[in-house]
Amino acid sequence: MTGNQGRWPKIDQGGGIEDVTLLILEWLGEQGVNAMIRVDAHRAVANSPAWTFAASGGPLEHGMRADGRTVQQCMSTALSQLREAGLSVPF
């Protein structure tokens, strides 16, 4: 049998956080955290931060939300907030 024997695929170190966003969501789900990321086309047209990450439940005492103009900005803010809340996201 060939192929990846581990749980997580190898991450392209040259890639950005947007390359691992789905893995982060999957990991959060495994921790009992409800999480989502969405883009709002109306906010993008209005030149507002169109990307939103939201999470709640599990080990998070309170729900959280992070917004950004790009998915990278949104997820970077979200990871910072998750780490401040005590979740050591492995990405």
Side-chain angles (χ1 to χ4, degrees):
M1 177 179 245
T2 62
N4 187 356
Q5 299 296 318
R7 173 84 172 115
W8 302 104
K10 295 210 182 288
I11 303 302
D12 175 12
Q13 297 299 322
I17 193 166
E18 61 271 18
D19 294 336
V20 296
T21 295
L22 293 178
L23 294 174
I24 292 168
L25 291 174
E26 182 179 19
W27 183 85
L28 288 169
E30 292 170 352
Q31 309 314 303
V33 176
N34 302 308
M36 67 168 217
I37 187 164
R38 72 181 294 259
V39 63
D40 186 324
H42 290 98
R43 289 190 335 190
V45 170
N47 202 27
S48 297
W51 288 92
T52 300
F53 172 89
S56 64
L60 291 175
E61 188 173 325
H62 303 287
M64 58 154 291
R65 174 181 170 153
D67 295 297
R69 294 191 184 278
T70 65
V71 69
Q72 181 181 23
Q73 186 181 60
C74 177
M75 289 304 296
S76 292
T77 301
L79 282 178
S80 177
Q81 289 181 18
L82 287 166
R83 290 180 177 135
E84 286 177 16
L87 281 171
S88 297
V89 181
F91 300 96

